[in-house]
Amino acid sequence: MAVHETPHRNVRFHLPSMRRSETASRRADETNTVVLTATATHVLAGLRVLTGFVFLWAFLDKTFGFGYATASGKGWIDGGSPTKGFLSSVAAGPMESTFHDWAGAGWADWLFMLGLLGIGAALIAGVGLRLAAVAGTAMMALMWMAEWPPAKHLSDGSLSMSTNPFADYHLIYAVVLIALAAAGAGATWGLGKVWARLPFVSRHRWLL
């Protein structure tokens, strides 16, 4: 007896497609992400320029004595020392005597002023942010140690008036510099893209 088998058909269950709704949601999310990203880049660019101006203004005021932090006629070009007043007034911390020895030294003045100029110019132009972050963090670390926020009392026994034993404005500036470099914040309102395309910079990415 011949047995005839009917061909089996693969039965497929088709669920309602969610592709359209998923695509619509994805497009909405992408739109929101683009808007947030664009906003974030502009915020970071503004933060970069303002931070750069802090460093650049410090250089200009200490150089020419505009009468703000540096009195008129006592600028660097007038023979004044950018480091003597600050370092000689250090009155707390493990490096107190060391900073006193550095106060007014020619090499200290030059390193400090070149650091202010280089960091300020790099931030405003949006180039060399990694170098600026390293140099700025080192400078802020030294200035933090000079003010020594952990001290409750100065070496003469008077109150230090420290508002926080750790997180002062030097630490905030250092974190800002690192964040700007990590985010590549020089592309907006800056020359970051042009700088990154230079052959020498493209071969040495640490210069970004």
Side-chain angles (χ1 to χ4, degrees):
M1 182 177 67
V3 179
H4 299 282
E5 296 182 358
T6 56
H8 296 284
R9 294 182 177 177
N10 293 328
V11 179
R12 297 180 180 178
F13 295 93
H14 297 283
L15 295 175
S17 177
M18 301 294 291
R19 290 183 180 178
R20 292 183 179 178
S21 59
E22 289 177 357
T23 302
S25 299
R26 188 179 301 111
R27 287 177 179 172
D29 292 340
E30 288 175 354
T31 302
N32 292 335
T33 301
V34 170
V35 171
L36 291 175
T37 300
T39 302
T41 56
H42 286 86
V43 170
L44 288 173
L47 179 61
R48 190 199 81 234
V49 173
L50 288 175
T51 306
F53 184 70
V54 170
F55 284 88
L56 187 59
W57 175 259
F59 168 81
L60 295 173
D61 186 49
K62 293 179 184 300
T63 299
F64 301 105
F66 290 146
Y68 288 87
T70 305
S72 179
K74 294 187 177 181
W76 197 22
I77 62 171
D78 300 311
S81 171
T83 62
K84 187 174 182 179
F86 176 67
L87 293 182
S88 60
S89 64
V90 173
M95 293 185 64
E96 179 180 350
S97 60
T98 301
F99 286 130
H100 289 171
D101 292 337
W102 291 358
W107 64 267
D109 289 342
W110 275 97
L111 282 179
F112 180 56
M113 295 299 281
L114 288 177
L116 290 176
L117 176 60
I119 295 167
L123 289 174
I124 291 177
V127 302
L129 296 186
R130 294 181 182 180
L131 283 176
V134 172
T137 299
M139 180 183 292
M140 292 300 104
L142 288 171
M143 295 180 73
W144 185 90
M145 294 185 70
E147 293 198 4
W148 198 246
K152 292 182 179 180
H153 297 85
L154 302 179
S155 55
D156 61 0
S158 61
L159 291 175
S160 67
M161 304 302 291
S162 175
T163 59
N164 191 296
F166 176 67
D168 76 338
Y169 65 98
H170 297 106
L171 178 63
I172 301 301
Y173 278 135
V175 172
V176 167
L177 290 172
I178 294 171
L180 292 174
T188 302
W189 298 345
L191 302 174
K193 291 181 179 179
V194 177
W195 176 260
R197 288 196 294 266
L198 295 177
F200 184 77
V201 176
S202 63
R203 291 195 301 269
H204 303 84
R205 306 302 292 175
W206 55 271
L207 290 173
L208 290 175

